[in-house]
Amino acid sequence: MARCGQCGNDYDKAFEVKLAEETYTFDSFECAIHKLAPLCPHCGCRIIGHGVEQGDIIYCCAHCAAEEGASALTDRAP
């Protein structure tokens, strides 16, 4: 069994995620998301999908990006 790096649960179906040079062990996707998914700097939600980026900042959507002053992003192509 392996111990989840987020919640500490010792679970026989744990899995590993490799990100950059680090390996993390989790017992659920929920724990992996809480540990690894970035936070939107405007609304604070976890960015589970692709999100949108301007510069080095990732937002959950174009609306939040615009609220933070990012001007090059849209939700839909013109």
Short mmCIF file of all heavy atoms in Angstrom, two decimals:
data_model
loop_
_atom_site.label_atom_id
_atom_site.label_comp_id
_atom_site.label_asym_id
_atom_site.label_seq_id
_atom_site.Cartn_x
_atom_site.Cartn_y
_atom_site.Cartn_z
N MET A 1 0.85 -1.18 0.00
CA MET A 1 0.00 0.00 0.00
C MET A 1 0.89 1.24 0.00
O MET A 1 2.03 1.19 0.42
CB MET A 1 -0.93 -0.01 1.20
CG MET A 1 -1.90 -1.17 1.17
SD MET A 1 -3.51 -0.87 1.91
CE MET A 1 -3.15 -0.47 3.58
N ALA A 2 0.31 2.32 -0.48
CA ALA A 2 1.06 3.58 -0.55
C ALA A 2 0.25 4.68 0.11
O ALA A 2 -0.98 4.69 0.08
CB ALA A 2 1.35 3.92 -2.00
N ARG A 3 0.96 5.62 0.68
CA ARG A 3 0.33 6.73 1.40
C ARG A 3 0.15 7.92 0.46
O ARG A 3 1.07 8.33 -0.24
CB ARG A 3 1.18 7.13 2.60
CG ARG A 3 0.51 8.14 3.51
CD ARG A 3 1.23 8.31 4.82
NE ARG A 3 1.39 7.08 5.58
CZ ARG A 3 0.44 6.51 6.32
NH1 ARG A 3 -0.75 7.05 6.40
NH2 ARG A 3 0.68 5.40 6.98
N CYS A 4 -1.06 8.50 0.47
CA CYS A 4 -1.37 9.68 -0.34
C CYS A 4 -0.60 10.89 0.20
O CYS A 4 -0.61 11.17 1.40
CB CYS A 4 -2.87 9.97 -0.29
SG CYS A 4 -3.38 11.45 -1.20
N GLY A 5 0.07 11.60 -0.71
CA GLY A 5 0.85 12.77 -0.33
C GLY A 5 0.01 13.99 0.02
O GLY A 5 0.54 14.97 0.54
N GLN A 6 -1.30 13.94 -0.23
CA GLN A 6 -2.17 15.07 0.09
C GLN A 6 -2.92 14.84 1.40
O GLN A 6 -2.88 15.66 2.29
CB GLN A 6 -3.16 15.32 -1.06
CG GLN A 6 -4.17 16.42 -0.81
CD GLN A 6 -3.54 17.80 -0.69
OE1 GLN A 6 -2.43 18.03 -1.15
NE2 GLN A 6 -4.23 18.72 -0.08
N CYS A 7 -3.61 13.70 1.50
CA CYS A 7 -4.47 13.48 2.68
C CYS A 7 -3.88 12.49 3.69
O CYS A 7 -4.36 12.39 4.81
CB CYS A 7 -5.86 13.00 2.25
SG CYS A 7 -5.89 11.31 1.60
N GLY A 8 -2.84 11.74 3.25
CA GLY A 8 -2.21 10.79 4.17
C GLY A 8 -2.84 9.42 4.22
O GLY A 8 -2.38 8.55 4.96
N ASN A 9 -3.89 9.19 3.45
CA ASN A 9 -4.55 7.89 3.43
C ASN A 9 -3.62 6.82 2.88
O ASN A 9 -2.94 7.03 1.89
CB ASN A 9 -5.83 7.97 2.57
CG ASN A 9 -6.64 6.69 2.60
OD1 ASN A 9 -6.67 5.99 3.60
ND2 ASN A 9 -7.31 6.41 1.50
N ASP A 10 -3.59 5.67 3.54
CA ASP A 10 -2.81 4.54 3.07
C ASP A 10 -3.77 3.67 2.25
O ASP A 10 -4.73 3.13 2.80
CB ASP A 10 -2.27 3.76 4.28
CG ASP A 10 -1.05 2.96 3.95
OD1 ASP A 10 -0.45 3.18 2.88
OD2 ASP A 10 -0.69 2.10 4.76
N TYR A 11 -3.51 3.53 0.94
CA TYR A 11 -4.50 2.96 0.04
C TYR A 11 -3.84 1.98 -0.92
O TYR A 11 -2.78 2.25 -1.48
CB TYR A 11 -5.16 4.10 -0.74
CG TYR A 11 -6.34 3.74 -1.59
CD1 TYR A 11 -7.41 3.02 -1.09
CD2 TYR A 11 -6.38 4.15 -2.92
CE1 TYR A 11 -8.50 2.71 -1.88
CE2 TYR A 11 -7.48 3.86 -3.72
CZ TYR A 11 -8.53 3.13 -3.19
OH TYR A 11 -9.61 2.84 -3.98
N ASP A 12 -4.50 0.83 -1.15
CA ASP A 12 -3.91 -0.20 -2.02
C ASP A 12 -4.04 0.12 -3.51
O ASP A 12 -3.41 -0.53 -4.34
CB ASP A 12 -4.53 -1.56 -1.71
CG ASP A 12 -5.99 -1.66 -2.08
OD1 ASP A 12 -6.70 -0.64 -2.02
OD2 ASP A 12 -6.44 -2.77 -2.42
N LYS A 13 -4.82 1.11 -3.88
CA LYS A 13 -4.98 1.49 -5.29
C LYS A 13 -4.42 2.89 -5.57
O LYS A 13 -4.86 3.57 -6.48
CB LYS A 13 -6.44 1.41 -5.69
CG LYS A 13 -6.98 -0.02 -5.67
CD LYS A 13 -8.46 -0.05 -5.96
CE LYS A 13 -8.99 -1.46 -5.86
NZ LYS A 13 -9.02 -1.99 -4.51
N ALA A 14 -3.44 3.30 -4.79
CA ALA A 14 -2.81 4.61 -4.99
C ALA A 14 -2.09 4.63 -6.34
O ALA A 14 -1.75 3.59 -6.91
CB ALA A 14 -1.83 4.88 -3.86
N PHE A 15 -1.88 5.83 -6.86
CA PHE A 15 -1.20 6.00 -8.14
C PHE A 15 -0.19 7.14 -8.03
O PHE A 15 -0.26 7.96 -7.13
CB PHE A 15 -2.21 6.28 -9.27
CG PHE A 15 -3.04 7.51 -9.06
CD1 PHE A 15 -2.66 8.73 -9.62
CD2 PHE A 15 -4.20 7.46 -8.32
CE1 PHE A 15 -3.41 9.87 -9.42
CE2 PHE A 15 -4.98 8.60 -8.13
CZ PHE A 15 -4.58 9.81 -8.69
N GLU A 16 0.73 7.16 -8.98
CA GLU A 16 1.77 8.20 -8.99
C GLU A 16 1.56 9.15 -10.15
O GLU A 16 1.12 8.75 -11.22
CB GLU A 16 3.16 7.57 -9.12
CG GLU A 16 3.59 6.80 -7.90
CD GLU A 16 5.00 6.25 -8.04
OE1 GLU A 16 5.53 6.18 -9.17
OE2 GLU A 16 5.57 5.88 -7.00
N VAL A 17 1.90 10.41 -9.92
CA VAL A 17 1.90 11.44 -10.95
C VAL A 17 3.30 12.03 -10.98
O VAL A 17 3.83 12.43 -9.94
CB VAL A 17 0.86 12.55 -10.66
CG1 VAL A 17 0.99 13.68 -11.66
CG2 VAL A 17 -0.54 11.98 -10.65
N LYS A 18 3.89 12.08 -12.17
CA LYS A 18 5.21 12.69 -12.32
C LYS A 18 5.02 14.06 -12.95
O LYS A 18 4.41 14.20 -14.01
CB LYS A 18 6.11 11.82 -13.18
CG LYS A 18 6.43 10.51 -12.50
CD LYS A 18 7.35 9.65 -13.30
CE LYS A 18 7.53 8.35 -12.51
NZ LYS A 18 8.54 7.51 -13.04
N LEU A 19 5.55 15.08 -12.30
CA LEU A 19 5.45 16.45 -12.77
C LEU A 19 6.84 17.07 -12.65
O LEU A 19 7.40 17.13 -11.55
CB LEU A 19 4.44 17.24 -11.92
CG LEU A 19 4.20 18.68 -12.30
CD1 LEU A 19 3.59 18.79 -13.70
CD2 LEU A 19 3.27 19.33 -11.29
N ALA A 20 7.37 17.48 -13.79
CA ALA A 20 8.75 17.96 -13.85
C ALA A 20 9.65 16.85 -13.33
O ALA A 20 9.62 15.75 -13.84
CB ALA A 20 8.91 19.28 -13.11
N GLU A 21 10.40 17.12 -12.31
CA GLU A 21 11.34 16.12 -11.76
C GLU A 21 10.82 15.47 -10.49
O GLU A 21 11.54 14.72 -9.84
CB GLU A 21 12.70 16.77 -11.49
CG GLU A 21 13.36 17.35 -12.72
CD GLU A 21 13.70 16.28 -13.76
OE1 GLU A 21 14.17 15.20 -13.36
OE2 GLU A 21 13.49 16.54 -14.95
N GLU A 22 9.57 15.74 -10.13
CA GLU A 22 9.02 15.21 -8.88
C GLU A 22 7.97 14.14 -9.14
O GLU A 22 7.25 14.20 -10.14
CB GLU A 22 8.39 16.35 -8.07
CG GLU A 22 9.40 17.43 -7.73
CD GLU A 22 9.30 17.88 -6.29
OE1 GLU A 22 8.80 17.13 -5.45
OE2 GLU A 22 9.74 18.99 -6.04
N THR A 23 7.87 13.18 -8.24
CA THR A 23 6.85 12.15 -8.29
C THR A 23 5.99 12.27 -7.05
O THR A 23 6.49 12.35 -5.93
CB THR A 23 7.49 10.75 -8.36
OG1 THR A 23 8.32 10.68 -9.53
CG2 THR A 23 6.42 9.67 -8.44
N TYR A 24 4.67 12.27 -7.26
CA TYR A 24 3.70 12.40 -6.17
C TYR A 24 2.84 11.14 -6.13
O TYR A 24 2.54 10.56 -7.16
CB TYR A 24 2.80 13.61 -6.40
CG TYR A 24 3.53 14.92 -6.52
CD1 TYR A 24 4.01 15.37 -7.75
CD2 TYR A 24 3.76 15.71 -5.40
CE1 TYR A 24 4.69 16.56 -7.86
CE2 TYR A 24 4.43 16.91 -5.50
CZ TYR A 24 4.90 17.34 -6.74
OH TYR A 24 5.57 18.52 -6.85
N THR A 25 2.41 10.75 -4.96
CA THR A 25 1.53 9.60 -4.78
C THR A 25 0.19 10.09 -4.25
O THR A 25 0.14 10.90 -3.31
CB THR A 25 2.14 8.59 -3.79
OG1 THR A 25 3.41 8.18 -4.29
CG2 THR A 25 1.25 7.37 -3.63
N PHE A 26 -0.90 9.60 -4.87
CA PHE A 26 -2.25 10.02 -4.48
C PHE A 26 -3.17 8.81 -4.39
O PHE A 26 -2.97 7.80 -5.06
CB PHE A 26 -2.84 11.00 -5.49
CG PHE A 26 -2.03 12.26 -5.63
CD1 PHE A 26 -1.24 12.48 -6.75
CD2 PHE A 26 -2.04 13.22 -4.64
CE1 PHE A 26 -0.48 13.63 -6.88
CE2 PHE A 26 -1.28 14.38 -4.75
CZ PHE A 26 -0.50 14.57 -5.88
N ASP A 27 -4.23 8.96 -3.60
CA ASP A 27 -5.25 7.92 -3.51
C ASP A 27 -6.47 8.25 -4.34
O ASP A 27 -7.35 7.41 -4.50
CB ASP A 27 -5.64 7.66 -2.05
CG ASP A 27 -6.38 8.82 -1.42
OD1 ASP A 27 -6.32 9.95 -1.95
OD2 ASP A 27 -7.03 8.60 -0.37
N SER A 28 -6.54 9.48 -4.90
CA SER A 28 -7.70 9.88 -5.71
C SER A 28 -7.32 11.05 -6.60
O SER A 28 -6.36 11.77 -6.32
CB SER A 28 -8.86 10.29 -4.80
OG SER A 28 -8.53 11.48 -4.09
N PHE A 29 -8.11 11.23 -7.66
CA PHE A 29 -7.89 12.39 -8.52
C PHE A 29 -8.18 13.68 -7.74
O PHE A 29 -7.55 14.70 -7.97
CB PHE A 29 -8.79 12.34 -9.76
CG PHE A 29 -8.33 11.32 -10.76
CD1 PHE A 29 -9.11 10.23 -11.06
CD2 PHE A 29 -7.11 11.45 -11.40
CE1 PHE A 29 -8.69 9.30 -11.99
CE2 PHE A 29 -6.67 10.52 -12.32
CZ PHE A 29 -7.47 9.44 -12.61
N GLU A 30 -9.11 13.62 -6.82
CA GLU A 30 -9.43 14.79 -6.01
C GLU A 30 -8.20 15.29 -5.26
O GLU A 30 -7.89 16.49 -5.27
CB GLU A 30 -10.55 14.47 -5.02
CG GLU A 30 -10.92 15.64 -4.13
CD GLU A 30 -12.00 15.29 -3.13
OE1 GLU A 30 -12.34 14.11 -2.97
OE2 GLU A 30 -12.48 16.24 -2.48
N CYS A 31 -7.47 14.38 -4.64
CA CYS A 31 -6.26 14.79 -3.92
C CYS A 31 -5.19 15.31 -4.87
O CYS A 31 -4.49 16.28 -4.56
CB CYS A 31 -5.72 13.62 -3.10
SG CYS A 31 -6.66 13.33 -1.57
N ALA A 32 -5.06 14.67 -6.05
CA ALA A 32 -4.08 15.13 -7.03
C ALA A 32 -4.41 16.55 -7.48
O ALA A 32 -3.52 17.40 -7.60
CB ALA A 32 -4.05 14.18 -8.24
N ILE A 33 -5.68 16.84 -7.71
CA ILE A 33 -6.10 18.18 -8.13
C ILE A 33 -5.79 19.19 -7.03
O ILE A 33 -5.25 20.26 -7.30
CB ILE A 33 -7.60 18.18 -8.48
CG1 ILE A 33 -7.81 17.44 -9.80
CG2 ILE A 33 -8.16 19.60 -8.55
CD1 ILE A 33 -9.26 17.08 -10.09
N HIS A 34 -6.13 18.86 -5.80
CA HIS A 34 -5.87 19.80 -4.70
C HIS A 34 -4.39 20.11 -4.53
O HIS A 34 -4.01 21.22 -4.20
CB HIS A 34 -6.46 19.28 -3.39
CG HIS A 34 -7.92 19.52 -3.26
ND1 HIS A 34 -8.46 20.74 -2.96
CD2 HIS A 34 -8.97 18.67 -3.41
CE1 HIS A 34 -9.77 20.66 -2.93
NE2 HIS A 34 -10.10 19.41 -3.22
N LYS A 35 -3.55 19.12 -4.79
CA LYS A 35 -2.11 19.30 -4.60
C LYS A 35 -1.45 19.99 -5.80
O LYS A 35 -0.57 20.83 -5.63
CB LYS A 35 -1.46 17.93 -4.37
CG LYS A 35 0.02 17.96 -4.14
CD LYS A 35 0.34 18.32 -2.74
CE LYS A 35 1.80 18.08 -2.43
NZ LYS A 35 2.10 18.39 -1.06
N LEU A 36 -1.88 19.65 -7.04
CA LEU A 36 -1.12 20.04 -8.21
C LEU A 36 -1.76 21.08 -9.13
O LEU A 36 -1.05 21.77 -9.85
CB LEU A 36 -0.80 18.80 -9.06
CG LEU A 36 -0.01 17.70 -8.35
CD1 LEU A 36 0.16 16.51 -9.27
CD2 LEU A 36 1.34 18.22 -7.88
N ALA A 37 -3.08 21.16 -9.14
CA ALA A 37 -3.74 22.10 -10.07
C ALA A 37 -3.50 23.54 -9.63
O ALA A 37 -3.63 23.87 -8.44
CB ALA A 37 -5.23 21.82 -10.14
N PRO A 38 -3.16 24.42 -10.58
CA PRO A 38 -2.93 25.82 -10.22
C PRO A 38 -4.22 26.51 -9.82
O PRO A 38 -5.31 26.09 -10.20
CB PRO A 38 -2.35 26.42 -11.50
CG PRO A 38 -2.83 25.54 -12.59
CD PRO A 38 -2.96 24.17 -12.01
N LEU A 39 -4.10 27.59 -9.06
CA LEU A 39 -5.24 28.41 -8.66
C LEU A 39 -5.39 29.59 -9.61
O LEU A 39 -4.38 30.23 -9.96
CB LEU A 39 -5.04 28.96 -7.25
CG LEU A 39 -5.14 27.98 -6.09
CD1 LEU A 39 -4.70 28.65 -4.80
CD2 LEU A 39 -6.56 27.47 -5.96
N CYS A 40 -6.62 29.91 -9.98
CA CYS A 40 -6.87 31.12 -10.77
C CYS A 40 -6.59 32.32 -9.85
O CYS A 40 -7.11 32.40 -8.74
CB CYS A 40 -8.31 31.17 -11.25
SG CYS A 40 -8.74 32.69 -12.13
N PRO A 41 -5.75 33.27 -10.30
CA PRO A 41 -5.41 34.40 -9.44
C PRO A 41 -6.57 35.37 -9.21
O PRO A 41 -6.52 36.18 -8.30
CB PRO A 41 -4.26 35.09 -10.17
CG PRO A 41 -4.42 34.69 -11.59
CD PRO A 41 -5.03 33.31 -11.57
N HIS A 42 -7.64 35.25 -10.02
CA HIS A 42 -8.78 36.15 -9.84
C HIS A 42 -9.84 35.55 -8.92
O HIS A 42 -10.20 36.14 -7.92
CB HIS A 42 -9.41 36.54 -11.18
CG HIS A 42 -10.58 37.44 -11.02
ND1 HIS A 42 -10.43 38.76 -10.62
CD2 HIS A 42 -11.91 37.24 -11.14
CE1 HIS A 42 -11.63 39.32 -10.53
NE2 HIS A 42 -12.53 38.41 -10.85
N CYS A 43 -10.35 34.36 -9.26
CA CYS A 43 -11.45 33.79 -8.49
C CYS A 43 -11.02 32.72 -7.49
O CYS A 43 -11.80 32.33 -6.62
CB CYS A 43 -12.52 33.22 -9.42
SG CYS A 43 -12.02 31.72 -10.30
N GLY A 44 -9.80 32.21 -7.63
CA GLY A 44 -9.28 31.23 -6.67
C GLY A 44 -9.66 29.80 -6.93
O GLY A 44 -9.31 28.92 -6.14
N CYS A 45 -10.38 29.51 -8.03
CA CYS A 45 -10.75 28.12 -8.29
C CYS A 45 -9.55 27.34 -8.82
O CYS A 45 -8.60 27.91 -9.36
CB CYS A 45 -11.93 28.03 -9.25
SG CYS A 45 -11.54 28.35 -10.98
N ARG A 46 -9.59 26.04 -8.66
CA ARG A 46 -8.55 25.17 -9.20
C ARG A 46 -8.76 25.05 -10.71
O ARG A 46 -9.87 24.83 -11.17
CB ARG A 46 -8.60 23.78 -8.58
CG ARG A 46 -8.27 23.77 -7.11
CD ARG A 46 -6.78 23.76 -6.92
NE ARG A 46 -6.46 23.87 -5.50
CZ ARG A 46 -5.26 24.14 -5.06
NH1 ARG A 46 -4.27 24.32 -5.91
NH2 ARG A 46 -5.03 24.24 -3.79
N ILE A 47 -7.70 25.18 -11.46
CA ILE A 47 -7.78 25.09 -12.92
C ILE A 47 -7.52 23.64 -13.29
O ILE A 47 -6.39 23.17 -13.27
CB ILE A 47 -6.78 26.04 -13.59
CG1 ILE A 47 -7.05 27.47 -13.11
CG2 ILE A 47 -6.87 25.94 -15.11
CD1 ILE A 47 -5.97 28.46 -13.47
N ILE A 48 -8.61 22.93 -13.63
CA ILE A 48 -8.52 21.51 -13.91
C ILE A 48 -8.32 21.26 -15.41
O ILE A 48 -7.66 20.32 -15.80
CB ILE A 48 -9.78 20.77 -13.39
CG1 ILE A 48 -9.88 20.99 -11.89
CG2 ILE A 48 -9.72 19.30 -13.73
CD1 ILE A 48 -11.17 20.53 -11.29
N GLY A 49 -8.89 22.12 -16.24
CA GLY A 49 -8.74 21.99 -17.69
C GLY A 49 -7.52 22.74 -18.18
O GLY A 49 -6.56 22.96 -17.44
N HIS A 50 -7.58 23.16 -19.42
CA HIS A 50 -6.44 23.87 -20.01
C HIS A 50 -6.26 25.27 -19.45
O HIS A 50 -5.15 25.76 -19.36
CB HIS A 50 -6.61 23.97 -21.54
CG HIS A 50 -6.53 22.65 -22.21
ND1 HIS A 50 -5.34 21.98 -22.38
CD2 HIS A 50 -7.48 21.86 -22.73
CE1 HIS A 50 -5.57 20.84 -22.99
NE2 HIS A 50 -6.87 20.73 -23.21
N GLY A 51 -7.33 25.95 -19.11
CA GLY A 51 -7.23 27.33 -18.67
C GLY A 51 -6.76 28.21 -19.82
O GLY A 51 -6.67 27.76 -20.97
N VAL A 52 -6.51 29.46 -19.54
CA VAL A 52 -5.98 30.39 -20.53
C VAL A 52 -4.77 31.08 -19.92
O VAL A 52 -4.72 31.30 -18.72
CB VAL A 52 -7.04 31.42 -21.00
CG1 VAL A 52 -8.17 30.74 -21.74
CG2 VAL A 52 -7.61 32.21 -19.83
N GLU A 53 -3.80 31.40 -20.75
CA GLU A 53 -2.55 31.98 -20.25
C GLU A 53 -2.23 33.28 -20.97
O GLU A 53 -2.44 33.41 -22.16
CB GLU A 53 -1.38 31.03 -20.49
CG GLU A 53 -1.48 29.72 -19.77
CD GLU A 53 -0.30 28.83 -20.06
OE1 GLU A 53 0.86 29.32 -19.97
OE2 GLU A 53 -0.52 27.66 -20.39
N GLN A 54 -1.74 34.22 -20.21
CA GLN A 54 -1.12 35.41 -20.77
C GLN A 54 0.16 35.64 -19.98
O GLN A 54 0.12 35.76 -18.76
CB GLN A 54 -2.02 36.64 -20.72
CG GLN A 54 -1.37 37.83 -21.40
CD GLN A 54 -2.34 38.96 -21.66
OE1 GLN A 54 -3.50 38.76 -21.96
NE2 GLN A 54 -1.85 40.18 -21.53
N GLY A 55 1.27 35.66 -20.69
CA GLY A 55 2.56 35.73 -20.00
C GLY A 55 2.76 34.45 -19.23
O GLY A 55 2.53 33.35 -19.73
N ASP A 56 3.15 34.56 -17.98
CA ASP A 56 3.38 33.39 -17.13
C ASP A 56 2.20 33.10 -16.21
O ASP A 56 2.32 32.29 -15.29
CB ASP A 56 4.64 33.60 -16.27
CG ASP A 56 5.90 33.64 -17.10
OD1 ASP A 56 5.91 33.04 -18.19
OD2 ASP A 56 6.88 34.25 -16.66
N ILE A 57 1.07 33.76 -16.44
CA ILE A 57 -0.07 33.62 -15.53
C ILE A 57 -1.16 32.79 -16.20
O ILE A 57 -1.53 33.04 -17.34
CB ILE A 57 -0.62 35.01 -15.14
CG1 ILE A 57 0.49 35.84 -14.48
CG2 ILE A 57 -1.80 34.86 -14.19
CD1 ILE A 57 0.10 37.27 -14.22
N ILE A 58 -1.68 31.79 -15.45
CA ILE A 58 -2.77 30.94 -15.94
C ILE A 58 -4.05 31.35 -15.22
O ILE A 58 -4.09 31.46 -13.99
CB ILE A 58 -2.47 29.46 -15.66
CG1 ILE A 58 -1.17 29.03 -16.32
CG2 ILE A 58 -3.63 28.58 -16.15
CD1 ILE A 58 -0.74 27.62 -15.97
N TYR A 59 -5.11 31.56 -16.00
CA TYR A 59 -6.45 31.89 -15.48
C TYR A 59 -7.40 30.76 -15.83
O TYR A 59 -7.19 30.02 -16.79
CB TYR A 59 -6.96 33.18 -16.11
CG TYR A 59 -6.06 34.36 -15.91
CD1 TYR A 59 -5.10 34.70 -16.87
CD2 TYR A 59 -6.14 35.15 -14.77
CE1 TYR A 59 -4.26 35.79 -16.69
CE2 TYR A 59 -5.30 36.24 -14.59
CZ TYR A 59 -4.37 36.55 -15.55
OH TYR A 59 -3.53 37.63 -15.38
N CYS A 60 -8.51 30.65 -15.10
CA CYS A 60 -9.48 29.61 -15.41
C CYS A 60 -10.28 29.93 -16.67
O CYS A 60 -10.73 29.02 -17.35
CB CYS A 60 -10.42 29.37 -14.22
SG CYS A 60 -11.53 30.74 -13.85
N CYS A 61 -10.44 31.21 -16.99
CA CYS A 61 -11.22 31.60 -18.17
C CYS A 61 -10.82 33.02 -18.60
O CYS A 61 -10.15 33.74 -17.86
CB CYS A 61 -12.71 31.55 -17.88
SG CYS A 61 -13.25 32.74 -16.61
N ALA A 62 -11.26 33.40 -19.79
CA ALA A 62 -10.94 34.73 -20.32
C ALA A 62 -11.57 35.84 -19.47
O ALA A 62 -11.01 36.92 -19.35
CB ALA A 62 -11.37 34.85 -21.77
N HIS A 63 -12.73 35.59 -18.89
CA HIS A 63 -13.38 36.60 -18.04
C HIS A 63 -12.48 36.96 -16.85
O HIS A 63 -12.24 38.14 -16.58
CB HIS A 63 -14.73 36.10 -17.54
CG HIS A 63 -15.31 36.97 -16.47
ND1 HIS A 63 -15.92 38.16 -16.73
CD2 HIS A 63 -15.32 36.83 -15.12
CE1 HIS A 63 -16.30 38.72 -15.59
NE2 HIS A 63 -15.95 37.93 -14.61
N CYS A 64 -11.99 35.94 -16.16
CA CYS A 64 -11.12 36.21 -15.01
C CYS A 64 -9.83 36.90 -15.46
O CYS A 64 -9.33 37.79 -14.78
CB CYS A 64 -10.80 34.92 -14.26
SG CYS A 64 -12.16 34.36 -13.20
N ALA A 65 -9.30 36.49 -16.61
CA ALA A 65 -8.09 37.12 -17.13
C ALA A 65 -8.35 38.61 -17.38
O ALA A 65 -7.54 39.46 -16.99
CB ALA A 65 -7.65 36.44 -18.43
N ALA A 66 -9.48 38.94 -17.99
CA ALA A 66 -9.81 40.34 -18.26
C ALA A 66 -9.98 41.13 -16.97
O ALA A 66 -9.55 42.28 -16.88
CB ALA A 66 -11.08 40.41 -19.11
N GLU A 67 -10.59 40.51 -15.97
CA GLU A 67 -10.77 41.18 -14.68
C GLU A 67 -9.43 41.52 -14.02
O GLU A 67 -9.33 42.44 -13.24
CB GLU A 67 -11.62 40.32 -13.74
CG GLU A 67 -13.07 40.21 -14.16
CD GLU A 67 -13.82 41.52 -14.00
OE1 GLU A 67 -13.73 42.16 -12.94
OE2 GLU A 67 -14.50 41.92 -14.98
N GLU A 68 -8.41 40.74 -14.34
CA GLU A 68 -7.07 40.97 -13.79
C GLU A 68 -6.21 41.85 -14.70
O GLU A 68 -5.04 42.06 -14.43
CB GLU A 68 -6.37 39.63 -13.55
CG GLU A 68 -6.98 38.81 -12.44
CD GLU A 68 -6.78 39.43 -11.07
OE1 GLU A 68 -5.64 39.78 -10.72
OE2 GLU A 68 -7.78 39.56 -10.33
N GLY A 69 -6.79 42.32 -15.82
CA GLY A 69 -6.07 43.22 -16.70
C GLY A 69 -5.42 42.58 -17.91
O GLY A 69 -4.79 43.28 -18.72
N ALA A 70 -5.56 41.28 -18.07
CA ALA A 70 -5.02 40.62 -19.27
C ALA A 70 -5.94 40.97 -20.45
O ALA A 70 -7.14 40.79 -20.38
CB ALA A 70 -4.98 39.10 -19.06
N SER A 71 -5.37 41.49 -21.50
CA SER A 71 -6.20 42.01 -22.59
C SER A 71 -6.13 41.20 -23.87
O SER A 71 -6.86 41.48 -24.82
CB SER A 71 -5.79 43.45 -22.89
OG SER A 71 -4.41 43.48 -23.25
N ALA A 72 -5.30 40.18 -23.96
CA ALA A 72 -5.12 39.46 -25.22
C ALA A 72 -5.93 38.18 -25.32
O ALA A 72 -5.77 37.43 -26.27
CB ALA A 72 -3.63 39.15 -25.41
N LEU A 73 -6.80 37.89 -24.36
CA LEU A 73 -7.52 36.62 -24.34
C LEU A 73 -9.01 36.80 -24.55
O LEU A 73 -9.59 37.77 -24.07
CB LEU A 73 -7.28 35.92 -22.99
CG LEU A 73 -5.82 35.67 -22.65
CD1 LEU A 73 -5.67 35.30 -21.19
CD2 LEU A 73 -5.26 34.60 -23.56
N THR A 74 -9.62 35.86 -25.27
CA THR A 74 -11.06 35.86 -25.46
C THR A 74 -11.59 34.45 -25.25
O THR A 74 -10.85 33.48 -25.40
CB THR A 74 -11.46 36.34 -26.88
OG1 THR A 74 -10.88 35.44 -27.84
CG2 THR A 74 -11.01 37.75 -27.14
N ASP A 75 -12.89 34.33 -24.91
CA ASP A 75 -13.51 33.03 -24.73
C ASP A 75 -13.82 32.37 -26.07
O ASP A 75 -13.95 31.18 -26.17
CB ASP A 75 -14.80 33.14 -23.92
CG ASP A 75 -14.53 33.14 -22.43
OD1 ASP A 75 -13.59 32.44 -22.01
OD2 ASP A 75 -15.25 33.83 -21.70
N ARG A 76 -14.01 33.19 -27.11
CA ARG A 76 -14.38 32.65 -28.42
C ARG A 76 -13.55 33.33 -29.50
O ARG A 76 -13.20 34.52 -29.39
CB ARG A 76 -15.85 32.92 -28.70
CG ARG A 76 -16.76 32.14 -27.77
CD ARG A 76 -18.22 32.44 -28.09
NE ARG A 76 -19.09 31.66 -27.26
CZ ARG A 76 -19.43 31.98 -26.02
NH1 ARG A 76 -18.94 33.05 -25.46
NH2 ARG A 76 -20.24 31.23 -25.33
N ALA A 77 -13.27 32.59 -30.56
CA ALA A 77 -12.55 33.18 -31.69
C ALA A 77 -13.48 34.16 -32.40
O ALA A 77 -14.69 33.96 -32.45
CB ALA A 77 -12.13 32.08 -32.67
N PRO A 78 -12.92 35.26 -32.94
CA PRO A 78 -13.77 36.24 -33.63
C PRO A 78 -14.41 35.68 -34.88
O PRO A 78 -14.01 34.74 -35.45
CB PRO A 78 -12.81 37.37 -33.98
CG PRO A 78 -11.44 36.86 -33.72
CD PRO A 78 -11.56 35.60 -32.94
#
